[in-house]
Amino acid sequence: MCKYMPHVDDLVVCETAKNCGICALARYRKNCGTRLSADFAAGFVQAYIDLAEGRGPLPPNLPPSRYWQAYYRSCAGEPKIEQWYAGYNAGHEDGLHGGVSKFRRIQVNPTGNFY
């Protein structure tokens, strides 16, 4: 019998969600027909990871720490943060329609008979 290792499971869930997000982003780009920024793409994929890890339905209050630098707090950097959030929202919506939000669910026996 295999032993459950939470840290390995966390890594597998995160990497699988990341790969699913990248594939979904490619489909999204194709359907969108416009060029998407790297910041949009990063937000989109992060939403997939957050859904897989069971995080809440709302985007995080703060963007990732790389956006905390002075440049991103300036007028020049603000649109990049807005793109990240736009990508996150689009990825979250897209991910909800896929199966990524079920990655952490464990199937239970509906009859209640456990061994």
Side-chain angles (χ1 to χ4, degrees):
M1 179 181 271
C2 294
K3 180 181 176 189
Y4 173 69
M5 296 183 286
H7 60 284
V8 173
D9 190 61
D10 291 345
L11 181 61
V12 169
V13 166
C14 182
E15 286 301 310
T16 303
K18 182 177 164 183
N19 290 332
C20 288
I22 291 168
C23 290
L25 178 63
R27 284 191 307 273
Y28 188 89
R29 275 186 175 136
K30 186 177 178 181
N31 292 338
C32 188
T34 61
R35 188 167 184 269
L36 302 173
S37 71
D39 300 295
F40 184 97
F44 191 99
V45 172
Q46 186 61 52
Y48 262 72
I49 294 168
D50 288 356
L51 278 169
E53 292 181 345
R55 295 201 183 103
L58 300 175
N61 291 329
L62 293 173
S65 59
R66 74 169 180 245
Y67 293 103
W68 299 356
Q69 298 172 27
Y71 170 76
Y72 293 104
R73 295 190 313 263
S74 73
C75 294
E78 252 181 56
K80 294 181 179 292
I81 295 173
E82 291 170 2
Q83 282 295 302
W84 187 87
Y85 277 112
Y88 190 96
N89 290 331
H92 190 271
E93 182 67 28
D94 193 74
L96 283 174
H97 299 294
V100 74
S101 62
K102 298 177 184 176
F103 281 10
R104 288 273 184 202
R105 294 186 188 161
I106 298 173
Q107 188 67 30
V108 296
N109 184 348
T111 64
N113 296 324
F114 296 99
Y115 298 97

Short mmCIF file of all heavy atoms in Angstrom, two decimals, residues 22-81:
data_model
loop_
_atom_site.label_atom_id
_atom_site.label_comp_id
_atom_site.label_asym_id
_atom_site.label_seq_id
_atom_site.Cartn_x
_atom_site.Cartn_y
_atom_site.Cartn_z
N ILE A 22 -1.94 26.60 -18.62
CA ILE A 22 -1.20 26.95 -19.82
C ILE A 22 -1.95 26.48 -21.07
O ILE A 22 -2.07 27.22 -22.05
CB ILE A 22 0.23 26.38 -19.76
CG1 ILE A 22 1.03 27.13 -18.69
CG2 ILE A 22 0.91 26.45 -21.12
CD1 ILE A 22 2.36 26.47 -18.33
N CYS A 23 -2.47 25.26 -21.03
CA CYS A 23 -3.26 24.74 -22.17
C CYS A 23 -4.53 25.56 -22.37
O CYS A 23 -4.89 25.89 -23.50
CB CYS A 23 -3.60 23.27 -21.94
SG CYS A 23 -2.18 22.17 -22.06
N ALA A 24 -5.21 25.88 -21.27
CA ALA A 24 -6.45 26.67 -21.37
C ALA A 24 -6.15 28.07 -21.89
O ALA A 24 -6.93 28.64 -22.66
CB ALA A 24 -7.13 26.74 -20.01
N LEU A 25 -5.02 28.62 -21.50
CA LEU A 25 -4.63 29.94 -21.98
C LEU A 25 -4.41 29.93 -23.49
O LEU A 25 -4.81 30.87 -24.19
CB LEU A 25 -3.36 30.42 -21.26
CG LEU A 25 -2.82 31.77 -21.68
CD1 LEU A 25 -3.82 32.89 -21.39
CD2 LEU A 25 -1.49 32.05 -20.99
N ALA A 26 -3.82 28.87 -23.99
CA ALA A 26 -3.62 28.75 -25.44
C ALA A 26 -4.96 28.75 -26.17
O ALA A 26 -5.13 29.42 -27.20
CB ALA A 26 -2.82 27.50 -25.77
N ARG A 27 -5.93 28.00 -25.63
CA ARG A 27 -7.28 28.00 -26.22
C ARG A 27 -7.91 29.39 -26.12
O ARG A 27 -8.55 29.86 -27.05
CB ARG A 27 -8.16 26.97 -25.53
CG ARG A 27 -7.89 25.54 -25.90
CD ARG A 27 -8.98 24.60 -25.39
NE ARG A 27 -9.24 24.73 -23.96
CZ ARG A 27 -8.59 24.09 -23.00
NH1 ARG A 27 -7.62 23.26 -23.30
NH2 ARG A 27 -8.91 24.26 -21.73
N TYR A 28 -7.75 30.01 -24.97
CA TYR A 28 -8.32 31.34 -24.75
C TYR A 28 -7.74 32.35 -25.74
O TYR A 28 -8.48 33.14 -26.32
CB TYR A 28 -8.04 31.78 -23.30
CG TYR A 28 -8.72 33.05 -22.89
CD1 TYR A 28 -10.00 33.02 -22.35
CD2 TYR A 28 -8.10 34.29 -23.03
CE1 TYR A 28 -10.63 34.19 -21.96
CE2 TYR A 28 -8.73 35.46 -22.66
CZ TYR A 28 -10.00 35.40 -22.12
OH TYR A 28 -10.62 36.56 -21.74
N ARG A 29 -6.42 32.31 -25.93
CA ARG A 29 -5.76 33.19 -26.89
C ARG A 29 -6.32 32.99 -28.30
O ARG A 29 -6.58 33.95 -29.02
CB ARG A 29 -4.25 32.92 -26.92
CG ARG A 29 -3.48 33.63 -25.88
CD ARG A 29 -1.99 33.42 -26.09
NE ARG A 29 -1.26 34.23 -25.13
CZ ARG A 29 -0.23 33.80 -24.43
NH1 ARG A 29 0.23 32.58 -24.60
NH2 ARG A 29 0.36 34.59 -23.57
N LYS A 30 -6.49 31.74 -28.67
CA LYS A 30 -7.00 31.42 -30.01
C LYS A 30 -8.42 31.96 -30.19
O LYS A 30 -8.74 32.55 -31.21
CB LYS A 30 -6.98 29.90 -30.22
CG LYS A 30 -7.35 29.48 -31.60
CD LYS A 30 -7.24 27.98 -31.76
CE LYS A 30 -7.66 27.56 -33.15
NZ LYS A 30 -7.60 26.13 -33.33
N ASN A 31 -9.26 31.77 -29.18
CA ASN A 31 -10.64 32.25 -29.25
C ASN A 31 -10.73 33.77 -29.18
O ASN A 31 -11.62 34.37 -29.77
CB ASN A 31 -11.49 31.63 -28.14
CG ASN A 31 -11.69 30.15 -28.33
OD1 ASN A 31 -11.56 29.63 -29.44
ND2 ASN A 31 -11.97 29.45 -27.26
N CYS A 32 -9.83 34.36 -28.44
CA CYS A 32 -9.83 35.81 -28.24
C CYS A 32 -9.41 36.54 -29.51
O CYS A 32 -9.97 37.58 -29.85
CB CYS A 32 -8.89 36.15 -27.09
SG CYS A 32 -8.94 37.85 -26.57
N GLY A 33 -8.42 36.00 -30.18
CA GLY A 33 -7.97 36.60 -31.43
C GLY A 33 -7.10 37.83 -31.28
O GLY A 33 -6.73 38.45 -32.26
N THR A 34 -6.78 38.20 -30.06
CA THR A 34 -5.90 39.34 -29.83
C THR A 34 -4.70 38.90 -29.02
O THR A 34 -4.72 37.85 -28.36
CB THR A 34 -6.61 40.48 -29.06
OG1 THR A 34 -7.02 39.99 -27.78
CG2 THR A 34 -7.81 41.00 -29.82
N ARG A 35 -3.67 39.72 -29.05
CA ARG A 35 -2.46 39.41 -28.30
C ARG A 35 -2.72 39.69 -26.82
O ARG A 35 -3.26 40.74 -26.47
CB ARG A 35 -1.32 40.27 -28.81
CG ARG A 35 0.00 39.88 -28.22
CD ARG A 35 1.14 40.56 -28.99
NE ARG A 35 2.40 40.10 -28.48
CZ ARG A 35 3.07 40.68 -27.51
NH1 ARG A 35 2.60 41.78 -26.95
NH2 ARG A 35 4.22 40.19 -27.09
N LEU A 36 -2.32 38.76 -25.98
CA LEU A 36 -2.47 38.93 -24.54
C LEU A 36 -1.10 39.17 -23.92
O LEU A 36 -0.11 38.55 -24.31
CB LEU A 36 -3.11 37.68 -23.92
CG LEU A 36 -4.47 37.28 -24.49
CD1 LEU A 36 -4.91 35.94 -23.94
CD2 LEU A 36 -5.50 38.35 -24.19
N SER A 37 -1.05 40.02 -22.94
CA SER A 37 0.23 40.35 -22.30
C SER A 37 0.71 39.20 -21.43
O SER A 37 -0.05 38.32 -21.03
CB SER A 37 0.08 41.61 -21.44
OG SER A 37 -0.69 41.33 -20.29
N ALA A 38 2.00 39.23 -21.12
CA ALA A 38 2.59 38.24 -20.22
C ALA A 38 1.97 38.35 -18.83
O ALA A 38 1.81 37.34 -18.13
CB ALA A 38 4.10 38.43 -20.15
N ASP A 39 1.58 39.56 -18.44
CA ASP A 39 0.95 39.75 -17.14
C ASP A 39 -0.44 39.13 -17.11
O ASP A 39 -0.82 38.49 -16.12
CB ASP A 39 0.88 41.25 -16.81
CG ASP A 39 2.27 41.86 -16.77
OD1 ASP A 39 3.05 41.49 -15.88
OD2 ASP A 39 2.56 42.70 -17.64
N PHE A 40 -1.18 39.29 -18.18
CA PHE A 40 -2.49 38.64 -18.30
C PHE A 40 -2.31 37.12 -18.20
O PHE A 40 -3.03 36.45 -17.46
CB PHE A 40 -3.14 39.00 -19.63
CG PHE A 40 -4.54 38.45 -19.81
CD1 PHE A 40 -5.64 39.23 -19.52
CD2 PHE A 40 -4.73 37.15 -20.26
CE1 PHE A 40 -6.93 38.72 -19.68
CE2 PHE A 40 -6.02 36.64 -20.42
CZ PHE A 40 -7.12 37.42 -20.14
N ALA A 41 -1.34 36.59 -18.93
CA ALA A 41 -1.09 35.15 -18.94
C ALA A 41 -0.72 34.65 -17.54
O ALA A 41 -1.21 33.60 -17.10
CB ALA A 41 0.02 34.81 -19.93
N ALA A 42 0.11 35.40 -16.82
CA ALA A 42 0.51 35.00 -15.47
C ALA A 42 -0.70 34.95 -14.53
O ALA A 42 -0.84 34.02 -13.73
CB ALA A 42 1.57 35.95 -14.93
N GLY A 43 -1.57 35.93 -14.64
CA GLY A 43 -2.78 35.94 -13.81
C GLY A 43 -3.72 34.80 -14.16
O GLY A 43 -4.30 34.16 -13.27
N PHE A 44 -3.86 34.53 -15.44
CA PHE A 44 -4.73 33.45 -15.91
C PHE A 44 -4.28 32.11 -15.33
O PHE A 44 -5.08 31.37 -14.75
CB PHE A 44 -4.68 33.41 -17.44
CG PHE A 44 -5.71 32.54 -18.08
CD1 PHE A 44 -6.87 33.08 -18.60
CD2 PHE A 44 -5.52 31.17 -18.21
CE1 PHE A 44 -7.83 32.29 -19.22
CE2 PHE A 44 -6.47 30.36 -18.82
CZ PHE A 44 -7.63 30.91 -19.33
N VAL A 45 -3.00 31.82 -15.44
CA VAL A 45 -2.47 30.54 -14.95
C VAL A 45 -2.54 30.49 -13.42
O VAL A 45 -2.87 29.44 -12.85
CB VAL A 45 -1.03 30.32 -15.46
CG1 VAL A 45 -0.39 29.10 -14.80
CG2 VAL A 45 -1.03 30.17 -16.98
N GLN A 46 -2.28 31.61 -12.75
CA GLN A 46 -2.36 31.62 -11.28
C GLN A 46 -3.77 31.30 -10.80
O GLN A 46 -3.95 30.62 -9.79
CB GLN A 46 -1.91 32.97 -10.72
CG GLN A 46 -1.84 33.00 -9.21
CD GLN A 46 -0.86 31.99 -8.65
OE1 GLN A 46 0.29 31.95 -9.07
NE2 GLN A 46 -1.30 31.17 -7.71
N ALA A 47 -4.77 31.75 -11.52
CA ALA A 47 -6.16 31.44 -11.15
C ALA A 47 -6.40 29.93 -11.20
O ALA A 47 -7.08 29.38 -10.33
CB ALA A 47 -7.13 32.17 -12.07
N TYR A 48 -5.84 29.27 -12.19
CA TYR A 48 -5.97 27.82 -12.28
C TYR A 48 -5.33 27.14 -11.07
O TYR A 48 -5.89 26.22 -10.48
CB TYR A 48 -5.34 27.29 -13.58
CG TYR A 48 -6.35 27.07 -14.67
CD1 TYR A 48 -6.95 28.14 -15.33
CD2 TYR A 48 -6.73 25.80 -15.06
CE1 TYR A 48 -7.88 27.94 -16.33
CE2 TYR A 48 -7.66 25.58 -16.06
CZ TYR A 48 -8.23 26.66 -16.69
OH TYR A 48 -9.16 26.45 -17.67
N ILE A 49 -4.17 27.61 -10.70
CA ILE A 49 -3.47 27.04 -9.54
C ILE A 49 -4.29 27.28 -8.28
O ILE A 49 -4.48 26.36 -7.47
CB ILE A 49 -2.05 27.64 -9.42
CG1 ILE A 49 -1.20 27.20 -10.60
CG2 ILE A 49 -1.40 27.24 -8.09
CD1 ILE A 49 0.12 27.95 -10.74
N ASP A 50 -4.79 28.50 -8.10
CA ASP A 50 -5.58 28.81 -6.91
C ASP A 50 -6.86 27.97 -6.85
O ASP A 50 -7.25 27.50 -5.77
CB ASP A 50 -5.92 30.30 -6.87
CG ASP A 50 -4.71 31.16 -6.53
OD1 ASP A 50 -3.63 30.60 -6.25
OD2 ASP A 50 -4.85 32.39 -6.56
N LEU A 51 -7.51 27.77 -7.98
CA LEU A 51 -8.71 26.93 -8.00
C LEU A 51 -8.37 25.49 -7.59
O LEU A 51 -9.09 24.87 -6.81
CB LEU A 51 -9.34 26.92 -9.39
CG LEU A 51 -10.23 28.10 -9.75
CD1 LEU A 51 -10.55 28.09 -11.23
CD2 LEU A 51 -11.50 28.07 -8.92
N ALA A 52 -7.29 24.97 -8.13
CA ALA A 52 -6.90 23.60 -7.81
C ALA A 52 -6.53 23.44 -6.35
O ALA A 52 -6.77 22.39 -5.76
CB ALA A 52 -5.72 23.19 -8.69
N GLU A 53 -5.98 24.49 -5.76
CA GLU A 53 -5.57 24.43 -4.36
C GLU A 53 -6.70 24.79 -3.40
O GLU A 53 -6.51 24.86 -2.20
CB GLU A 53 -4.35 25.31 -4.13
CG GLU A 53 -3.13 24.74 -4.85
CD GLU A 53 -1.87 25.57 -4.65
OE1 GLU A 53 -1.96 26.73 -4.21
OE2 GLU A 53 -0.80 25.04 -4.95
N GLY A 54 -7.89 25.01 -3.95
CA GLY A 54 -9.07 25.24 -3.12
C GLY A 54 -9.17 26.63 -2.52
O GLY A 54 -9.86 26.82 -1.53
N ARG A 55 -8.50 27.59 -3.11
CA ARG A 55 -8.59 28.96 -2.60
C ARG A 55 -9.93 29.55 -2.97
O ARG A 55 -10.60 29.09 -3.88
CB ARG A 55 -7.44 29.79 -3.15
CG ARG A 55 -6.11 29.27 -2.62
CD ARG A 55 -5.02 30.32 -2.71
NE ARG A 55 -3.77 29.73 -2.26
CZ ARG A 55 -2.79 29.34 -3.06
NH1 ARG A 55 -2.90 29.49 -4.36
NH2 ARG A 55 -1.69 28.82 -2.56
N GLY A 56 -10.31 30.61 -2.30
CA GLY A 56 -11.61 31.22 -2.46
C GLY A 56 -11.94 31.69 -3.87
O GLY A 56 -11.07 31.77 -4.73
N PRO A 57 -13.20 32.06 -4.07
CA PRO A 57 -13.65 32.45 -5.41
C PRO A 57 -13.23 33.86 -5.84
O PRO A 57 -13.37 34.21 -6.99
CB PRO A 57 -15.17 32.35 -5.30
CG PRO A 57 -15.45 32.62 -3.87
CD PRO A 57 -14.28 32.02 -3.11
N LEU A 58 -12.70 34.64 -4.92
CA LEU A 58 -12.31 36.01 -5.25
C LEU A 58 -10.82 36.09 -5.53
O LEU A 58 -10.03 35.33 -4.97
CB LEU A 58 -12.66 36.95 -4.09
CG LEU A 58 -14.13 37.03 -3.71
CD1 LEU A 58 -14.32 37.88 -2.48
CD2 LEU A 58 -14.95 37.57 -4.87
N PRO A 59 -10.42 37.03 -6.38
CA PRO A 59 -8.99 37.20 -6.61
C PRO A 59 -8.30 37.66 -5.33
O PRO A 59 -8.95 38.24 -4.45
CB PRO A 59 -8.91 38.27 -7.70
CG PRO A 59 -10.23 38.88 -7.79
CD PRO A 59 -11.22 37.98 -7.15
N PRO A 60 -7.01 37.41 -5.20
CA PRO A 60 -6.31 37.85 -3.99
C PRO A 60 -6.33 39.37 -3.86
O PRO A 60 -6.43 40.09 -4.87
CB PRO A 60 -4.89 37.33 -4.19
CG PRO A 60 -4.78 36.96 -5.61
CD PRO A 60 -6.15 36.75 -6.15
N ASN A 61 -6.28 39.85 -2.64
CA ASN A 61 -6.26 41.30 -2.41
C ASN A 61 -5.00 41.94 -2.97
O ASN A 61 -5.03 43.08 -3.42
CB ASN A 61 -6.35 41.61 -0.91
CG ASN A 61 -7.70 41.28 -0.35
OD1 ASN A 61 -8.70 41.35 -1.04
ND2 ASN A 61 -7.75 40.89 0.91
N LEU A 62 -3.90 41.21 -2.92
CA LEU A 62 -2.63 41.71 -3.42
C LEU A 62 -2.18 40.87 -4.60
O LEU A 62 -2.33 39.65 -4.59
CB LEU A 62 -1.56 41.62 -2.33
CG LEU A 62 -1.73 42.52 -1.12
CD1 LEU A 62 -0.69 42.18 -0.06
CD2 LEU A 62 -1.62 43.98 -1.51
N PRO A 63 -1.57 41.51 -5.59
CA PRO A 63 -0.99 40.73 -6.69
C PRO A 63 0.27 40.02 -6.18
O PRO A 63 0.72 40.30 -5.06
CB PRO A 63 -0.66 41.80 -7.73
CG PRO A 63 -0.43 43.04 -6.95
CD PRO A 63 -1.36 42.95 -5.77
N PRO A 64 0.86 39.14 -6.96
CA PRO A 64 2.10 38.48 -6.54
C PRO A 64 3.19 39.50 -6.17
O PRO A 64 3.19 40.63 -6.67
CB PRO A 64 2.51 37.67 -7.77
CG PRO A 64 1.24 37.45 -8.51
CD PRO A 64 0.41 38.68 -8.26
N SER A 65 4.12 39.09 -5.35
CA SER A 65 5.11 40.01 -4.79
C SER A 65 5.98 40.69 -5.86
O SER A 65 6.50 41.77 -5.61
CB SER A 65 5.99 39.28 -3.78
OG SER A 65 6.65 38.19 -4.37
N ARG A 66 6.12 40.09 -7.02
CA ARG A 66 6.93 40.77 -8.05
C ARG A 66 6.31 42.10 -8.48
O ARG A 66 6.98 42.98 -8.99
CB ARG A 66 7.17 39.87 -9.25
CG ARG A 66 5.97 39.69 -10.14
CD ARG A 66 6.38 39.00 -11.43
NE ARG A 66 5.24 38.83 -12.27
CZ ARG A 66 4.73 37.66 -12.62
NH1 ARG A 66 5.30 36.55 -12.22
NH2 ARG A 66 3.67 37.60 -13.39
N TYR A 67 5.01 42.25 -8.25
CA TYR A 67 4.32 43.49 -8.59
C TYR A 67 4.38 44.52 -7.46
O TYR A 67 3.73 45.56 -7.54
CB TYR A 67 2.86 43.21 -8.96
CG TYR A 67 2.72 42.43 -10.24
CD1 TYR A 67 2.42 41.08 -10.22
CD2 TYR A 67 2.88 43.04 -11.48
CE1 TYR A 67 2.28 40.35 -11.39
CE2 TYR A 67 2.76 42.33 -12.66
CZ TYR A 67 2.46 40.98 -12.61
OH TYR A 67 2.32 40.27 -13.77
N TRP A 68 5.10 44.24 -6.41
CA TRP A 68 5.19 45.17 -5.29
C TRP A 68 6.32 46.19 -5.48
O TRP A 68 6.44 47.12 -4.70
CB TRP A 68 5.41 44.42 -3.99
CG TRP A 68 4.31 43.47 -3.63
CD1 TRP A 68 3.13 43.25 -4.29
CD2 TRP A 68 4.31 42.58 -2.53
NE1 TRP A 68 2.40 42.29 -3.66
CE2 TRP A 68 3.10 41.86 -2.57
CE3 TRP A 68 5.20 42.31 -1.51
CZ2 TRP A 68 2.78 40.89 -1.63
CZ3 TRP A 68 4.88 41.35 -0.56
CH2 TRP A 68 3.67 40.65 -0.62
N GLN A 69 7.14 46.01 -6.49
CA GLN A 69 8.26 46.91 -6.72
C GLN A 69 7.76 48.31 -7.07
O GLN A 69 6.65 48.49 -7.55
CB GLN A 69 9.13 46.38 -7.85
CG GLN A 69 9.74 45.03 -7.56
CD GLN A 69 10.42 44.48 -8.80
OE1 GLN A 69 10.86 45.23 -9.66
NE2 GLN A 69 10.49 43.16 -8.89
N ALA A 70 8.66 49.28 -6.87
CA ALA A 70 8.31 50.68 -7.12
C ALA A 70 7.78 50.91 -8.53
O ALA A 70 6.83 51.68 -8.73
CB ALA A 70 9.53 51.57 -6.86
N TYR A 71 8.35 50.23 -9.51
CA TYR A 71 7.91 50.41 -10.90
C TYR A 71 6.42 50.12 -11.04
O TYR A 71 5.68 50.87 -11.69
CB TYR A 71 8.71 49.51 -11.85
CG TYR A 71 8.13 49.48 -13.25
CD1 TYR A 71 8.33 50.55 -14.12
CD2 TYR A 71 7.35 48.42 -13.68
CE1 TYR A 71 7.77 50.55 -15.39
CE2 TYR A 71 6.80 48.41 -14.96
CZ TYR A 71 7.01 49.47 -15.80
OH TYR A 71 6.45 49.47 -17.06
N TYR A 72 5.95 49.04 -10.44
CA TYR A 72 4.56 48.64 -10.58
C TYR A 72 3.62 49.53 -9.77
O TYR A 72 2.42 49.56 -10.02
CB TYR A 72 4.38 47.18 -10.19
CG TYR A 72 5.07 46.26 -11.15
CD1 TYR A 72 6.27 45.64 -10.81
CD2 TYR A 72 4.55 46.02 -12.42
CE1 TYR A 72 6.92 44.80 -11.70
CE2 TYR A 72 5.18 45.19 -13.31
CZ TYR A 72 6.37 44.58 -12.96
OH TYR A 72 7.00 43.76 -13.84
N ARG A 73 4.16 50.26 -8.82
CA ARG A 73 3.35 51.20 -8.06
C ARG A 73 3.25 52.55 -8.76
O ARG A 73 2.52 53.43 -8.33
CB ARG A 73 3.92 51.37 -6.65
CG ARG A 73 3.85 50.10 -5.83
CD ARG A 73 4.20 50.32 -4.37
NE ARG A 73 5.39 51.10 -4.11
CZ ARG A 73 6.60 50.60 -3.85
NH1 ARG A 73 6.79 49.31 -3.82
NH2 ARG A 73 7.61 51.41 -3.60
N SER A 74 3.98 52.69 -9.87
CA SER A 74 3.96 53.94 -10.63
C SER A 74 2.86 53.90 -11.69
O SER A 74 2.25 52.87 -11.94
CB SER A 74 5.32 54.16 -11.30
OG SER A 74 5.46 53.26 -12.39
N CYS A 75 2.67 55.02 -12.34
CA CYS A 75 1.68 55.10 -13.43
C CYS A 75 2.03 54.15 -14.57
O CYS A 75 1.14 53.62 -15.24
CB CYS A 75 1.58 56.53 -13.95
SG CYS A 75 0.92 57.68 -12.74
N ALA A 76 3.31 53.93 -14.80
CA ALA A 76 3.75 53.06 -15.89
C ALA A 76 3.45 51.59 -15.58
O ALA A 76 3.15 50.80 -16.47
CB ALA A 76 5.24 53.24 -16.15
N GLY A 77 3.54 51.22 -14.31
CA GLY A 77 3.37 49.82 -13.94
C GLY A 77 1.94 49.41 -13.61
O GLY A 77 1.59 48.24 -13.67
N GLU A 78 1.11 50.38 -13.28
CA GLU A 78 -0.27 50.07 -12.90
C GLU A 78 -1.03 49.26 -13.94
O GLU A 78 -1.74 48.32 -13.58
CB GLU A 78 -1.03 51.37 -12.60
CG GLU A 78 -1.32 51.56 -11.15
CD GLU A 78 -2.09 52.85 -10.91
OE1 GLU A 78 -3.17 53.02 -11.50
OE2 GLU A 78 -1.59 53.66 -10.12
N PRO A 79 -0.91 49.56 -15.23
CA PRO A 79 -1.63 48.76 -16.24
C PRO A 79 -1.21 47.29 -16.25
O PRO A 79 -2.01 46.43 -16.57
CB PRO A 79 -1.28 49.44 -17.56
CG PRO A 79 -0.90 50.83 -17.20
CD PRO A 79 -0.27 50.74 -15.85
N LYS A 80 0.03 47.02 -15.87
CA LYS A 80 0.48 45.63 -15.83
C LYS A 80 -0.22 44.87 -14.71
O LYS A 80 -0.59 43.71 -14.88
CB LYS A 80 2.00 45.58 -15.68
CG LYS A 80 2.72 46.13 -16.91
CD LYS A 80 4.21 46.06 -16.74
CE LYS A 80 4.92 46.58 -17.97
NZ LYS A 80 4.76 45.77 -19.16
N ILE A 81 -0.43 45.54 -13.59
CA ILE A 81 -1.16 44.91 -12.49
C ILE A 81 -2.62 44.71 -12.89
O ILE A 81 -3.21 43.67 -12.62
CB ILE A 81 -1.04 45.75 -11.20
CG1 ILE A 81 0.41 45.77 -10.72
CG2 ILE A 81 -1.96 45.18 -10.11
CD1 ILE A 81 0.68 46.70 -9.57
#
